[in-house]
Amino acid sequence: MSVVLACDLGGTSFRAALVDREGEARATHVIQGPTTRDRLGWSEIDPADWWRALIEAASALREAEPTLFSKIRAVAICGVTRTQVFLGRDGEPLRHAITWRDARAERSVDALSATLPQDHPERAQINAFHPLARLAWLRDEEEACFRRVTTILDPKDFLNFKLTGQRASDPISMARLAAAAAPAADGRSLLDAIGAPRSILPELREPTADVARIRDDLPAPFDSLAGVPVICCSTDTWAAVAGLGALQDGFAYNISGTTEVFGVMSEERGFADGLMSVDWRGLFQLGGPGQNGADTVAWLMSLLHPGDAISPPPVAARLDALLSARRDPQPLLFLPYLQGERTPYWDPSLRGAFIGLNRAHGAGDLAWAVLEGVAFLNRVVMERAESALGRRVSEIRFGGGAASNPIWRQIKADICERPVVTPVAPEPGLLGAAIVAWTGVGEFLTISDAQHALVKATRRYEPDPTRAAAYRKLFDLYRRSESALAAISRDLAALARQSGALPGVHGPLFTFGD
């Protein structure tokens, strides 16, 4: 029996598995972290931590299944995007990677936009999370580093580079940077406008194409895999959508891990305000990544159980207990913007809120509101995509850690008023990476063929008409709450950037300006 080594570099964990030709994970290893270095508006990580995680995970798999490990036919790594690794000429990272959460470029976006070619099609997409804005920030704040950047890679591309020595990526992962590198009618690109060479864009290859073969000078356990092909693969979202079987026209996908990602697949390209329209190699994705999601549940548990160690099993058990408690007749609303929001608002200054609290509300009411608030945002994205495409999605394929909770599955079905389907595979990202690897080595002709052969759907949750009608009314209040509180959120975020003293137990935090 031969296998592929499939890896999923996520926001808060690194997962690896040996997956056979039937899509079965024969051995799996999960590493929590690496830990991001976060503070107000900042989020960075040392790329070397990802390399150490890959070595640790692969070593654990070889120890668990030495015979299978020796029969690896290919390696495929999917991973988080909207995260930039800056390489110098020698191939070493010039600084810590800037992660998807980082909002430092927010303050300079307006000034940046004013300097860009007015007729460039990518100009309207520039926001604090765009790679061009991150590059402009680097130019303004760390000019010496900016001048030394020769290549920008996504995290999974960095690992592929470490394995092979080849700097490459795929058109999905690099969609925004590639668009910024493309010339407008006058021949200027957005990269030209900020003084960055177009050569910082790596060579782009199809997700199922080889990057190169594993080098022969690597540490264990990769010393035993010299010559094995490394497949380019793509983002963790794209791979997980393949692992859900949702790379099909008319399907929606919802990946709920640390953060939510929601989108609609279509053979025709559509455009909608705040949604990313990306060519997913034969299908178009209309949607994008959020900034909040299942991690919001962990945040709630940390408030309700301060000081306790939070890990997936206790979070799941505590959530079940909260959801089984009696619910107050008056529902709560929750705006889930604890870290700002990307799709569809692209506003780092949005903030979360519980709305409608009364004295009878308990912890269970808060839990219901958190799950519903995230699902309401899913519906916002879905409705924008459907309106742009002119048709309804047929079903939502739901995966990630949150998909293990049957109550959340039903909430999403009732709020979105579409069937929600979950797969057998508990890790769609790993299965998707395996699908890419097996296609890359020629076991399947296309990703679509591999998806139909290896993805096995399981439970289907139909919308309940009574609950859907009630949620329709609550959704209207949710939208009104978003509009009413957006300006207040921005003002609160602005206060945190001012100097001064707000009294606290541990001394002054900041002061309000005049």
Side-chain angles (χ1 to χ4, degrees), residues 79-418:
V80 292
T81 189
R82 292 276 175 166
T83 297
Q84 289 79 39
V85 181
F86 304 97
L87 294 189
R89 191 172 304 279
D90 62 359
E92 291 298 316
L94 295 170
R95 68 184 312 284
H96 286 173
I98 298 177
T99 84
W100 73 99
R101 289 175 173 154
D102 196 284
R104 276 173 284 184
E106 179 188 15
R107 301 183 205 178
S108 57
V109 165
D110 290 342
L112 170 64
S113 296
T115 68
L116 300 177
Q118 297 295 310
D119 62 343
H120 197 287
E122 185 67 8
R123 183 177 179 276
Q125 302 295 324
I126 305 302
N127 53 60
F129 305 102
H130 196 286
L132 188 82
R134 302 270 179 79
L135 267 174
W137 176 89
L138 193 66
R139 177 198 63 189
D140 297 340
E141 301 296 330
E142 301 177 13
E143 184 180 6
C145 179
F146 172 80
R147 297 300 173 195
R148 295 171 60 202
V149 176
T150 59
T151 314
I152 295 180
L153 297 177
D154 263 19
K156 63 92 177 173
D157 303 321
F158 173 71
L159 293 183
N160 289 346
F161 169 71
K162 294 289 286 184
L163 289 171
T164 68
Q166 181 69 40
R167 306 184 194 206
S169 188
D170 66 282
I172 301 168
S173 300
M174 288 287 152
R176 301 274 62 86
L177 188 62
D186 64 358
R188 291 182 71 210
S189 73
L190 299 186
L191 290 177
D192 295 331
I194 67 167
R198 299 186 200 182
S199 59
I200 64 173
L201 180 72
E203 179 185 348
L204 301 184
R205 304 184 180 185
E206 290 299 314
T208 55
D210 284 9
V211 173
R213 294 182 179 267
I214 293 178
R215 296 159 41 190
D216 60 7
D217 59 348
L218 295 179
F222 291 106
D223 56 344
S224 65
L225 297 182
V228 170
V230 175
I231 310 300
C232 188
C233 206
S234 189
T235 69
D236 53 352
T237 297
W238 182 84
V241 173
L244 290 172
L247 283 178
Q248 302 184 56
D249 179 52
F251 277 41
Y253 71 85
N254 180 200
I255 312 297
S256 188
T258 304
T259 58
E260 290 269 313
V261 194
F262 195 101
V264 174
M265 305 306 305
S266 176
E267 292 177 348
E268 301 82 33
R269 188 161 206 165
F271 297 91
D273 185 34
L275 305 190
M276 296 169 59
S277 179
V278 183
D279 180 357
W280 271 15
R281 323 315 292 160
L283 288 171
F284 293 96
Q285 184 274 166
L286 188 58
Q291 198 79 337
N292 304 278
D295 187 56
T296 310
V297 176
W299 163 81
L300 178 64
M301 298 305 163
S302 71
L303 291 184
L304 298 176
H305 304 276
D308 288 356
I310 300 299
S311 59
V315 167
R318 290 171 185 165
L319 180 61
D320 288 343
L322 291 176
L323 296 176
S324 65
R326 179 186 177 277
R327 192 174 184 185
D328 188 72
Q330 184 227 295
L332 277 175
L333 286 173
F334 176 68
L335 302 185
Y337 311 123
L338 300 181
Q339 304 176 93
E341 190 50 89
R342 290 185 288 178
T343 307
Y345 302 122
W346 301 99
D347 187 345
S349 295
L350 289 180
R351 293 294 178 262
F354 283 105
I355 303 165
L357 279 166
N358 69 45
R359 187 64 181 79
H361 282 137
D365 296 292
L366 300 180
W368 278 97
V370 165
L371 300 192
E372 290 163 349
V374 173
F376 283 138
L377 183 58
N378 296 153
R379 178 162 176 159
V380 172
V381 175
M382 183 189 72
E383 287 188 347
R384 289 193 186 195
E386 289 182 331
S387 177
L389 297 170
R391 59 188 173 121
R392 290 163 58 98
V393 300
S394 56
E395 65 181 55
I396 300 168
R397 291 290 177 100
F398 183 30
S404 63
N405 188 298
I407 294 178
W408 210 348
R409 298 173 193 167
Q410 190 63 54
I411 286 173
K412 294 205 177 213
D414 294 338
I415 285 178
C416 293
E417 299 188 60
R418 304 290 184 276

